[in-house]
Amino acid sequence: MLKEIISQVECEQLQALISQSETILCVCHQNPDGDALGASLGWAEVLRTFFGKATQVIVPDQYPDYLHWMPNTDKIIRYDKHKEGCDWTFQHADLIFCLDFNTSSRVGDMQAALDASPAPRVLIDHHLEPDIPSVITISHPEACSTCELVFRLTWQMGAFEQMTKHFAIPVYCGMMTDTGAFTYNSDNCDVYFIISQLLTKHINKDKIYRNVYHNFSEDRLRLMGYVMYQRLVVDSQRHASYFTLTRQDLKRFNFIKGDAEGLVNMPLQIKGHKLSISLREDTEKENTIWVSLRSVDQFPCNEVAARFFNGGGHLNASGGRLYCSMEEAVKIAQQAILAFENQLK
Ligand code: 5GP
Ligand code: MN
């Protein structure tokens, strides 16, 4: 059985709130990943089919190609493409679910519309320090993913029985992607109880794995080889590394969104490695560098992200951004590694 981490009282309050609402929005963070998209699609499915509510998923911008196969992606509206219509929808919604982000700045250019909406908000998230004014806050950093929380709510509300694979597929996908296919953040036995339940909906979990992880172009595979061979700088003494991806590199390998995903995990395959930093130039904006950090065990890459890269995140997976040249970004990465050397050795 599932150990309850969301209180029954909270579940009942949420059910009452949903019942009172007619039009509901599910929104997630910019650059949506498998968990953000999976939680939005899964939860929207519950709202539509169990509660019978008119529900719209709005994402701030493009999501990676390797998530396009998920059911109901055709119903998703992108804010960056339909700004005016979305602004109207935000103004007229009865209820907004904020999924997989802890502060409204994480929705990028959609922030003004979200902040201005008169609709009450419900947060469902697993990031630290929730900072979204909401009538109900379901924030559990101990959950492996927001999808885990979506499952828990569905289960506790008695809605799971009615769910089909249209619910189970995105929820499984989000749990899988946020745990690196169950290789980190996934020691809680509840995770496997949830998977066993999702499998009763006849999902093909091996195919979901292939759809996500074996769905790259030849260019992306060669980009990976190029980065590891040419661009990775390893500080073996400090068990840390960084690599750069310039706009020129991206162009050379016909970069499309999602192609850089997972590259930052690769240096952690080096024996004893503790910290990996990826510095990637934006494809369009000058002096904008996207930073991803990954670590193992107790090394807090979210502290590195907060102190050096204007970001944050989880203990072992964080992100941030720099507004400078790649040369300067490299210096900052080197400084960051030095500043944390005591915890790296
Ligand atoms: P990624 O490297 O996949 O872009 O991000 C890794 C993790 O860091 C994600 O879980 C993401 O939510 C988190 N993250 C990325 N940027 C930020 C940020 O600026 N602030 C916070 N708090 N978390 C971030
Ligand atoms: Mn997540």
Side-chain angles (χ1 to χ4, degrees):
M1 265 315 281
L2 209 52
K3 192 167 81 295
E4 276 181 13
I5 62 173
I6 303 168
S7 78
Q8 207 50 42
V9 175
E10 225 164 17
C11 265
E12 282 162 20
Q13 283 171 344
L14 186 56
Q15 264 174 299
L17 192 61
I18 296 168
S19 301
Q20 292 160 20
S21 312
E22 283 311 316
T23 52
I24 304 181
L25 296 187
C26 292
V27 302
C28 64
H29 58 77
Q30 66 178 342
N31 295 319
D33 56 10
D35 189 32
L37 211 61
S40 303
L41 290 170
W43 190 236
E45 183 71 8
V46 176
L47 295 171
R48 284 189 197 116
T49 61
F50 183 72
F51 289 98
K53 301 296 176 182
T55 306
Q56 182 62 57
V57 175
I58 299 183
V59 299
D61 54 3
Q62 197 185 353
Y63 50 90
D65 257 20
Y66 65 79
L67 295 173
H68 276 268
W69 57 273
M70 282 210 277
N72 288 325
T73 48
D74 55 318
K75 298 196 185 95
I76 294 174
I77 296 182
R78 269 175 60 180
Y79 184 81
D80 61 339
K81 280 193 168 176
H82 304 279
K83 190 176 172 315
E84 272 179 27
C86 289
D87 285 345
W88 190 93
T89 310
F90 270 104
Q91 277 301 314
H92 293 85
D94 297 325
L95 182 61
I96 301 176
F97 282 96
C98 297
L99 296 138
D100 201 39
F101 62 99
N102 57 351
T103 162
S104 63
S105 65
R106 294 276 291 127
V107 303
D109 292 342
M110 199 169 82
Q111 184 180 357
L114 176 61
D115 287 346
S117 172
R121 266 138 264 216
V122 174
L123 179 72
I124 307 178
D125 181 42
H126 70 130
H127 293 90
L128 295 166
E129 295 164 17
D131 184 25
I132 291 177
S134 39
V135 285
I136 300 177
T137 302
I138 298 168
S139 166
H140 290 274
E142 74 274 29
C144 77
S145 55
T146 301
C147 280
E148 176 187 330
L149 297 173
V150 164
F151 177 90
R152 286 176 179 279
L153 284 169
T154 309
W155 183 260
Q156 284 180 233
M157 287 176 173
F160 183 68
E161 206 179 325
Q162 221 173 296
M163 291 301 115
T164 66
K165 59 164 81 165
H166 284 180
F167 169 84
I169 289 171
V171 169
Y172 180 83
C173 182
M175 290 175 63
M176 180 185 79
T177 52
D178 256 28
T179 58
F182 309 102
T183 61
Y184 48 80
N185 254 339
S186 48
D187 274 345
N188 183 348
C189 58
D190 281 359
V191 167
Y192 303 93
F193 173 82
I194 295 171
I195 295 172
S196 71
Q197 290 302 320
L198 293 173
L199 287 169
T200 67
K201 304 293 180 185
H202 309 290
I203 63 172
N204 184 339
K205 76 171 185 58
D206 302 343
K207 184 140 189 253
I208 294 174
Y209 180 93
R210 284 201 308 280
N211 281 344
V212 170
Y213 295 108
H214 296 177
N215 191 13
F216 293 119
S217 60
E218 178 185 339
D219 279 324
R220 136 82 195 199
L221 196 67
R222 296 198 185 278
L223 171 73
M224 188 178 89
Y226 170 79
V227 169
M228 295 308 138
Y229 185 52
Q230 299 276 352
R231 292 286 190 215
L232 180 67
V233 179
V234 179
D235 182 339
S236 46
Q237 225 189 327
R238 297 185 182 85
H239 307 109
S241 63
Y242 62 87
F243 62 79
T244 57
L245 267 173
T246 63
R247 202 169 310 153
Q248 225 177 349
D249 297 334
L250 300 176
K251 221 165 144 195
R252 177 171 167 194
F253 291 95
N254 302 310
F255 179 86
I256 55 164
K257 207 159 185 176
D259 275 357
E261 211 80 29
L263 294 182
V264 66
N265 294 306
M266 300 200 71
L268 294 176
Q269 294 176 14
I270 301 170
K271 191 175 178 181
H273 218 62
K274 288 189 182 157
L275 172 66
S276 165
I277 304 173
S278 152
L279 305 168
R280 174 170 61 84
E281 270 181 356
D282 190 83
T283 46
E284 273 140 45
K285 287 183 216 142
E286 284 289 331
N287 288 332
T288 299
I289 298 190
W290 296 98
V291 185
S292 282
L293 302 101
R294 297 291 186 273
S295 66
V296 296
D297 294 335
Q298 290 314 303
F299 184 85
C301 72
N302 50 0
E303 283 178 30
V304 183
R307 227 172 104 188
F308 287 91
F309 301 109
N310 308 304
H314 310 281
L315 184 75
N316 293 142
S318 310
R321 57 213 58 72
L322 291 172
Y323 302 101
C324 61
S325 69
M326 187 56 97
E327 249 179 18
E328 287 166 288
V330 163
K331 282 192 194 132
I332 292 170
Q334 289 167 340
Q335 281 167 13
I337 291 170
L338 271 181
F340 281 81
E341 69 175 343
N342 288 339
Q343 291 176 74
L344 285 167
K345 278 184 179 165

